[in-house]
Amino acid sequence: VQLQASGGGLVQAGDSLRLSCAASGRTIVMGWFRQAPGKDREFVAAHRWREYYADSVKGRFTISRDNAKNTVYLQMNSLKFEDTAVYFCAAGDGIIMSTLTSGTAYAYWGQGTLVTVSS
C-alpha cells in the first residue's frame, strides 16, 4: 500500500488546515503522526472503526475517512505554534488498540507534509 499525503502549508495561529492522505489500497487502520524539529515522532490521531486522538489535539483536530476513496483526512482547527511539524500518514492491518499510538505498529507510511504555524 502506498500513501500520498498532501495539504500542508504555512498558516497563522488560530487558522485551520486540512490534510489528506490517499492510499493505493484498503487498510483497517489509518492514522496521522507528526515530528517537530528536534523531537521524536508522536501520535496525532487514528481511525480504526472509530476515532482516537492524542490529548494535545483532542477537541481541535478531527480525523475522518472516505472508504470509497481509500482516503483519510485530518481537519486541524485552532492551530497553535506547537503544532508545527512534518505530518505523516500511516496505515496498517492487525493493529490492536493498545498499539494504535505506536508508530512501529503501522506497516505503511506516506512521505510527510510540512505544517508550519506562525505565532
Side-chain angles (χ1 to χ4, degrees):
V1 175
Q2 294 181 328
L3 304 175
Q4 181 71 42
S6 61
L10 172 63
V11 297
Q12 293 185 332
D15 285 352
S16 298
L17 203 59
R18 190 177 83 153
L19 305 182
S20 300
C21 177
S24 61
R26 177 78 184 271
T27 59
I28 293 174
V29 182
M30 296 188 78
W32 292 94
F33 289 75
R34 66 186 181 186
Q35 187 167 18
K39 295 188 177 181
D40 293 335
R41 182 179 60 192
E42 65 175 2
F43 170 79
V44 176
H47 189 287
R48 177 182 179 267
W49 296 303
R50 48 156 289 195
E51 300 80 33
Y52 300 84
Y53 298 97
D55 288 343
S56 60
V57 305
K58 202 172 293 183
R60 299 188 299 122
F61 291 11
T62 301
I63 188 171
S64 60
R65 186 167 177 172
D66 186 337
N67 289 326
K69 297 181 179 180
N70 289 331
T71 299
V72 65
Y73 305 96
L74 186 67
Q75 177 66 43
M76 304 184 293
N77 298 330
S78 302
L79 281 162
K80 304 176 181 180
F81 175 75
E82 50 265 40
D83 293 320
T84 295
V86 177
Y87 284 70
F88 298 90
C89 62
D93 295 307
I95 300 175
I96 59 177
M97 277 184 60
S98 61
T99 62
L100 269 179
T101 61
S102 173
T104 57
Y106 293 75
Y108 311 107
W109 290 84
Q111 84 286 5
T113 184
L114 177 62
V115 173
T116 303
V117 184
S118 61
S119 57

